[in-house]
Amino acid sequence: MMLSSSREDFPLLLQVPVSTSIPETLSHFQRFRLSEPSRLNHRTMPRVLWTVWVLGAAVSLFEEAALGQVSSVNCDSTGICDGHSKSLNFIPSGLPATVKSLDLSNNKITYVSSSDLRGYVDLQALKLGSNRINAIQEDSFFSLGSLEHLDLSDNRLHNLSSSWFRPLSSLKFLNLLGNPYSTLGKRSLFSHLTNLRILKVGNNCFTKIQEKDFAGLTFLQELEIDASNLERYEPKSLKSIQNVSCLILHIRKPVFLQEIFVDILSSLECLELTDTHLNKFHFSEVSINKTNTLIKKFTFRNVEITDNSFNELVKLLSYASEELDIEFEDCTLDGIGDFGISVRDALKDLRKVETLTIRRLYIPYFYSFYDLSDLYSFVGSVKRIVIESSKVFLVPCSLSQHLKSLEYLDLSDNLMFENLLTNSACEHAWPLLQTLILKQNHLTSLKKIGEALLTLKNLTNLDISKNNFHPIPKTCQWPGKMKYLNLSNTRIHSLTRCIPQTLEILDISNNNLDSFSLIMPHLKELNISKNKLKTLPDASFLPMLLAIRISGNIINTFSQEQLDSFKKLKTLEAGGNNFICSCEFLHFMQEQQALAQILIDWPGNYLCDSPSHVRGHRVQDTHLSISECHRAALVSALCCALFLFILLTGVLCHRFHGLWYMKMMWAWLQAKRKPKKAPHRDICYDAFVSYSERDSHWVENLMVQELEHFNPPFKLCLHKRDFVPGKWIIDNIIDSIEKSHKTVFVLSENFVKSEWCKYELDFSHFRLFDENNDAAILILLEPIEKKAIPQRFCKLRKIMNTKTYLEWPTDEAQQEGFWLNLRTAIKS
């Protein structure tokens, strides 16, 4: 019987769920292959084989992709793995089993299977935010009993399952924001999370808060709910949480705000409203004892308020406890300050406000705004006011005088000028003010600022950084109790006695100072970093200094003596300078163990700037060679060695006739420049006679008589008679030898000892003997021992051993034969 080849023949293979992973698809196929062999015939086999091949190729690609994705996750030795922003398509396998923190945020993961996180029993933090996750298998987190931090925000989860969170008994942080679910499901998701402390839920599609949503939660430090488009709130939904310290509520319309507020008021310590339109907000009185409330802080971010809703908001704030902190950030007051008489009565209950913070407040009709007299009764108890980036240019004198409890005032990044500051700090204004922050305004004169603040008798801390001051005057007046002054980022080039002498802390960082020569007898902390100083300040100017920050200057070095001169110095921050890593500086920095306790930024910020081969190296790790560290000693040693070498060379030259060899080398070079053999027409003499002056009697009276008076006569060249006057003697010798047919050497003990005879004989070595001719004639006038001939006359010794020479006979009968042989030798 033949089976059909329709799609129904492959129900287990082809009808696998879409969300199933590739390994699970293979398991489906294996089960089909083992359980249905009888259903395959010759018609279905090719199709099955084709399917197997496709799945095999898919598995191969899957494994290669998995290996590539594992390699893109960086894990350190502490078990922290970072794989965020790696374009991962799924949770990589093969991570260390001991992983404790896994960050896979900002990827393209779409699915979490039951096997993806299996085995990571030590995992404590899992970040899967900003992916494309649309499905999570029920038991995906089953093995994560140690997990404390789970971030699933900004994904595509339409439905949430309580089974995901049931095994997470240790979970403390859970973020489910930014997923497109409309409710938190039909069952309580968090009833088993008894250790949960921070919970974030909701999105733009979140429309319903149910009573069972937060059942089982006993204590939350922070609960954030994004209910911007909330349509339904079941009464007591948040009351099921026994204790919520801080609630962050994103709610566009305040329809359910009062109900929510009533449910959590008894346990709430801080409430933050975000992206809320309070234009039509109305708050009714509630039957709650205000003395039992715990709320201490209200925060409003990106909230729109009108004059009327401000009155309602004051009613809400009246339920706060003592020492209330109110903060407005990026809010809009769409009104002109016409709060009405009713606000005065409501504000009487707000005298417990201690801190008021306003950042980036926008008032569209600011120039039509009423005075603030309606708020005077409210501000009397305020101790801290922060108004930043709100275009404030004036605090009216009357308002300043009502701020009788104010101790801290921050007006950063506004439009304050010196002239208007005088009006703000009028007589009896801010009587208790201790700290005034006016950074990043439009202040330009230190002298005018000091005069304007003279009324503030208790002012101790002043921050006027990030302004642009003119050249500092020589003297200024300041409140008598000034202890702290911040002049950083004010473009000052020098310091004068305008700086208060009473200061204990001075910040003049990020300026153009190239020196510090100001006497500050009480100064304990100095921040002069990021300037142009080349050395540490003089310690005599700062006798009480405990801490100094001087990083980011152009200091090349400092020494133990400089540090010791600061008698009370406890901390020094000097990194980021252009250190010259000399041997002395390196030894000082590396060997002083106590130095590490003073240098608070040691060793990371201390880098060498020179020498060039160690530039960028940490001072702690830099080591120079012996030649660099002991250069003076090395130069001295080299000089001594050179002197000894010269001395030894002189001794050796004297001992081994080195000077003689040098002279002969020069003579040889001179001879080499002349032609080896003079042309025949240049021969002027039959023989040049080389002899010692002590043998001149024999030469002049005997030899000359016998040769020059012979017929035909011989013409001899004698140095006494034929040398050219004024010519260098060496040149005379060379020219005479070259212009002579023969050279006759009259050898005797006197000849060997004669300096000029040496030159004549030496030139014969270089010129005559090298030509392998018989131009030299040796006459031995008296017997000479061979050892008497210097070793340097090696060729003479060799010639005397290999060639015959004429020997002067003492017997007169033999002398005639001597002259005959000599004449014959000269003619040959």
Side-chain angles (χ1 to χ4, degrees):
M1 179 177 177
M2 185 175 294
L3 294 177
S4 170
S5 59
S6 64
R7 182 182 183 278
E8 287 75 13
D9 292 331
F10 304 95
L12 296 177
L13 177 61
L14 301 179
Q15 299 178 11
V16 176
V18 174
S19 61
T20 307
S21 63
I22 292 178
E24 293 171 331
T25 303
L26 286 179
S27 67
H28 277 281
F29 170 72
Q30 290 171 349
R31 289 196 300 271
F32 165 73
R33 185 183 58 184
L34 294 175
S35 60
E36 302 289 334
S38 61
R39 300 176 61 182
L40 302 178
N41 58 22
H42 69 281
R43 295 181 62 185
T44 59
M45 281 299 293
R47 187 173 179 180
V48 172
L49 292 176
W50 171 254
T51 305
V52 171
W53 182 85
V54 171
L55 287 175
V59 170
S60 178
L61 292 174
F62 173 83
E63 291 176 348
E64 291 179 3
L67 290 174
Q69 299 205 58
V70 171
S71 63
S72 64
V73 178
N74 302 318
C75 298
D76 61 20
S77 58
T78 61
I80 298 177
C81 295
D82 183 8
H84 80 283
S85 302
K86 301 292 185 179
S87 299
L88 302 178
N89 295 314
F90 51 84
I91 297 177
S93 59
L95 297 174
T98 58
V99 59
K100 294 183 179 180
S101 176
L102 179 58
D103 185 356
L104 298 176
S105 58
N106 196 25
N107 282 291
K108 302 176 182 178
I109 301 172
T110 59
Y111 180 72
V112 181
S113 71
S114 59
S115 61
D116 285 341
L117 299 169
R118 186 177 301 160
Y120 301 139
V121 295
D122 296 327
L123 191 63
Q124 298 177 4
L126 176 60
K127 300 176 183 179
L128 294 171
S130 300
N131 276 280
R132 303 173 183 176
I133 300 174
N134 54 54
I136 301 176
Q137 284 195 335
E138 297 293 317
D139 56 347
S140 294
F141 305 141
F142 181 77
S143 60
L144 305 183
S146 300
L147 193 67
E148 298 179 358
H149 183 110
L150 177 59
D151 186 356
L152 294 171
S153 61
D154 298 315
N155 280 287
R156 300 176 181 178
L157 296 171
H158 290 268
N159 297 291
L160 304 178
S161 173
S162 60
S163 60
W164 299 346
F165 311 115
R166 190 174 295 114
L168 307 180
S169 58
S170 302
L171 197 65
K172 297 180 180 179
F173 176 95
L174 177 59
N175 188 352
L176 297 172
L177 290 170
N179 286 279
Y181 49 83
S182 58
T183 68
L184 294 180
K186 297 180 180 180
R187 299 179 182 179
S188 175
L189 296 176
F190 318 116
S191 59
H192 297 87
L193 304 180
T194 56
N195 291 307
L196 193 65
R197 294 296 175 263
I198 299 176
L199 175 61
K200 300 174 183 289
V201 296
N203 56 81
N204 290 332
C205 303
F206 190 58
T207 59
K208 182 178 180 181
I209 298 178
Q210 306 168 90
E211 185 176 357
K212 56 82 189 170
D213 285 346
F214 304 100
L217 294 176
T218 57
F219 171 68
L220 288 177
Q221 293 177 351
E222 180 181 316
L223 173 60
E224 181 173 357
I225 302 176
D226 185 354
S228 301
N229 298 308
L230 187 65
E231 297 176 359
R232 180 180 177 185
Y233 177 79
E234 294 184 2
K236 299 182 180 181
S237 294
L238 291 177
K239 198 176 181 89
S240 60
I241 309 175
Q242 298 178 13
N243 195 333
V244 180
S245 294
C246 186
L247 173 63
I248 302 173
L249 187 60
H250 302 255
I251 183 169
R252 184 170 290 114
K253 298 179 181 180
V255 178
F256 305 104
L257 180 58
Q258 182 166 334
E259 294 182 59
I260 295 174
F261 182 72
V262 170
D263 283 351
I264 60 174
L265 184 59
S266 60
S267 65
L268 196 66
E269 295 183 6
C270 68
L271 173 63
E272 177 179 324
L273 290 180
T274 301
D275 303 326
T276 306
H277 298 169
L278 296 179
N279 300 345
K280 299 181 180 180
F281 175 56
H282 178 74
F283 186 81
S284 304
E285 293 291 335
V286 295
S287 57
I288 296 179
N289 190 351
K290 295 182 179 180
T291 59
N292 295 331
T293 59
L294 300 175
I295 191 165
K296 297 180 179 180
K297 182 175 182 179
F298 282 97
T299 301
F300 302 92
R301 301 188 193 279
N302 193 25
V303 172
E304 294 184 7
I305 307 171
T306 63
D307 291 343
N308 293 330
S309 62
F310 179 78
N311 298 335
E312 302 300 317
L313 190 61
V314 170
K315 296 177 184 178
L316 177 69
L317 299 177
S318 65
Y319 285 87
S321 64
E322 299 294 331
E323 301 180 358
L324 179 60
D325 182 354
I326 303 176
E327 180 177 348
F328 294 91
E329 186 169 315
D330 297 308
C331 293
T332 299
L333 177 55
D334 192 4
I336 57 176
D338 185 12
F339 303 126
I341 300 176
S342 60
V343 75
R344 298 180 182 179
D345 298 330
L347 287 173
K348 292 180 181 179
D349 293 331
L350 283 183
R351 292 179 181 176
K352 48 198 170 186
V353 175
E354 286 199 352
T355 302
L356 174 63
T357 302
I358 300 175
R359 293 188 177 92
R360 296 176 294 280
L361 176 65
Y362 176 56
I363 305 177
Y365 306 103
F366 174 77
Y367 294 103
S368 301
F369 210 77
Y370 282 26
D371 62 30
L372 301 176
S373 57
D374 291 339
L375 303 179
Y376 287 174
S377 60
F378 155 67
V379 299
S381 62
V382 178
K383 295 182 178 181
R384 293 174 57 91
I385 293 180
V386 177
I387 304 178
E388 294 181 0
S389 307
S390 300
K391 299 183 179 180
V392 175
F393 62 88
L394 172 67
V395 179
C397 175
S398 55
L399 177 59
S400 299
Q401 291 173 339
H402 278 82
L403 292 169
K404 297 181 179 180
S405 301
L406 190 64
E407 299 175 357
Y408 181 98
L409 176 60
D410 185 352
L411 295 174
S412 299
D413 192 18
N414 283 291
L415 304 175
M416 299 292 294
F417 292 86
E418 292 89 347
N419 296 335
L420 297 179
L421 181 62
T422 303
N423 182 276
S424 300
C426 60
E427 193 70 25
H428 306 300
W430 308 327
L432 299 181
L433 188 65
Q434 299 177 8
T435 300
L436 176 60
I437 300 177
L438 295 170
K439 68 180 180 180
Q440 201 168 345
N441 276 273
H442 292 266
L443 306 175
T444 58
S445 173
L446 275 181
K447 187 173 184 178
K448 291 182 179 180
I449 293 173
E451 293 173 353
L453 301 180
L454 286 176
T455 58
L456 307 180
K457 305 301 182 182
N458 292 303
L459 185 67
T460 57
N461 305 318
L462 177 62
D463 185 348
I464 48 178
S465 60
K466 295 186 178 180
N467 286 284
N468 188 8
F469 291 112
H470 294 162
I472 300 179
K474 293 183 178 180
T475 58
C476 298
Q477 291 180 298
W478 297 96
K481 295 183 179 181
M482 285 272 293
K483 302 295 182 184
Y484 171 86
L485 177 61
N486 190 339
L487 283 171
S488 62
N489 289 283
T490 53
R491 302 183 182 180
I492 56 178
H493 291 79
S494 61
L495 298 176
T496 68
R497 295 185 64 82
C498 176
I499 305 300
Q501 298 294 297
T502 58
L503 293 181
E504 295 182 359
I505 302 174
L506 175 61
D507 187 346
I508 46 177
S509 60
N510 284 281
N511 283 297
N512 298 311
L513 301 172
D514 55 11
S515 64
F516 185 93
S517 56
L518 193 63
I519 298 176
M520 304 291 291
H522 305 289
L523 197 66
K524 296 180 180 179
E525 295 183 23
L526 173 62
N527 186 351
I528 197 170
S529 59
K530 296 183 179 179
N531 279 281
K532 299 178 181 179
L533 271 71
K534 296 180 179 180
T535 184
L536 294 178
D538 192 332
S540 61
F541 298 154
L542 307 165
M544 304 297 293
L545 195 65
L546 299 176
I548 180 171
R549 290 176 172 84
I550 198 166
S551 59
N553 281 272
I554 53 175
I555 295 175
N556 293 327
T557 186
F558 54 87
S559 63
Q560 183 67 51
E561 290 74 19
Q562 286 180 298
L563 295 184
D564 291 341
S565 62
F566 294 94
K567 303 299 182 181
K568 297 186 177 184
L569 189 65
K570 301 296 182 184
T571 60
L572 171 63
E573 181 181 311
N577 281 286
N578 302 332
F579 292 116
I580 297 177
C581 289
S582 62
C583 298
E584 296 79 8
F585 180 70
L586 291 177
H587 181 268
F588 162 61
M589 296 294 289
Q590 294 173 358
E591 299 299 328
Q592 294 290 336
Q593 300 295 331
L595 196 61
Q597 300 176 358
I598 298 178
L599 301 177
I600 58 177
D601 54 344
W602 173 266
N605 292 336
Y606 291 76
L607 305 178
C608 295
D609 185 65
S610 65
S612 58
H613 65 277
V614 296
R615 181 171 297 154
H617 294 191
R618 295 200 312 178
V619 173
Q620 184 187 41
D621 304 327
T622 301
H623 300 280
L624 300 180
S625 62
I626 296 177
S627 61
E628 292 174 296
C629 287
H630 304 283
R631 185 165 297 173
L634 182 62
V635 171
S636 300
L638 288 176
C639 290
C640 292
L642 182 60
F643 173 76
L644 292 175
F645 175 76
I646 294 174
L647 182 62
L648 180 61
T649 302
V651 172
L652 293 175
C653 285
H654 177 74
R655 175 67 179 82
F656 297 102
H657 310 285
L659 187 59
W660 175 86
Y661 279 109
M662 293 175 63
K663 292 179 179 178
M664 290 308 100
M665 182 60 70
W666 174 252
W668 179 81
L669 292 174
Q670 290 289 95
K672 283 291 185 181
R673 291 187 300 176
K674 297 181 179 292
K676 290 188 175 182
K677 192 169 185 179
H680 183 70
R681 64 179 182 272
D682 293 337
I683 301 299
C684 301
Y685 305 99
D686 292 306
F688 169 72
V689 182
S690 176
Y691 61 95
S692 172
E693 185 65 30
R694 294 183 181 182
D695 297 328
S696 61
H697 174 77
W698 184 87
V699 173
E700 296 171 1
N701 295 328
L702 293 178
M703 185 176 181
V704 171
Q705 294 296 327
E706 288 291 336
L707 296 179
E708 290 190 345
H709 294 87
F710 188 76
N711 188 18
F714 290 87
K715 189 175 181 179
L716 301 179
C717 179
L718 305 179
H719 65 269
K720 280 186 176 181
R721 184 182 66 190
D722 300 309
F723 276 10
V724 178
K727 193 174 184 179
W728 187 34
I729 192 169
I730 296 296
D731 287 340
N732 269 315
I733 293 173
I734 294 173
D735 289 344
S736 297
I737 291 175
E738 290 183 342
K739 292 180 180 180
S740 300
H741 181 59
K742 297 288 184 178
T743 301
V744 178
F745 294 97
V746 181
L747 303 179
S748 66
E749 293 287 347
N750 297 324
F751 181 93
V752 173
K753 296 177 181 179
S754 172
E755 185 70 21
W756 296 115
C757 290
K758 291 178 185 178
Y759 289 134
E760 294 164 357
L761 186 58
D762 292 336
F763 181 73
S764 297
H765 280 190
F766 298 124
R767 183 71 176 177
L768 302 175
F769 294 164
D770 286 347
E771 295 178 3
N772 296 319
N773 57 27
D774 296 328
I777 300 173
L778 304 181
I779 298 175
L780 191 60
L781 193 61
E782 60 184 9
I784 303 175
E785 294 184 7
K786 289 185 179 180
K787 64 180 181 179
I789 301 175
Q791 293 292 332
R792 61 183 178 275
F793 298 147
C794 56
K795 288 194 175 183
L796 175 61
R797 296 163 65 91
K798 182 179 180 181
I799 291 173
M800 292 181 69
N801 290 331
T802 58
K803 293 187 178 182
T804 58
Y805 50 85
L806 298 176
E807 188 174 355
W808 173 251
T810 57
D811 187 0
E812 292 184 3
Q814 298 179 355
Q815 291 178 358
E816 184 62 31
F818 169 83
W819 296 117
L820 179 60
N821 293 333
L822 178 59
R823 287 190 289 269
T824 303
I826 292 174
K827 291 180 179 180
S828 61

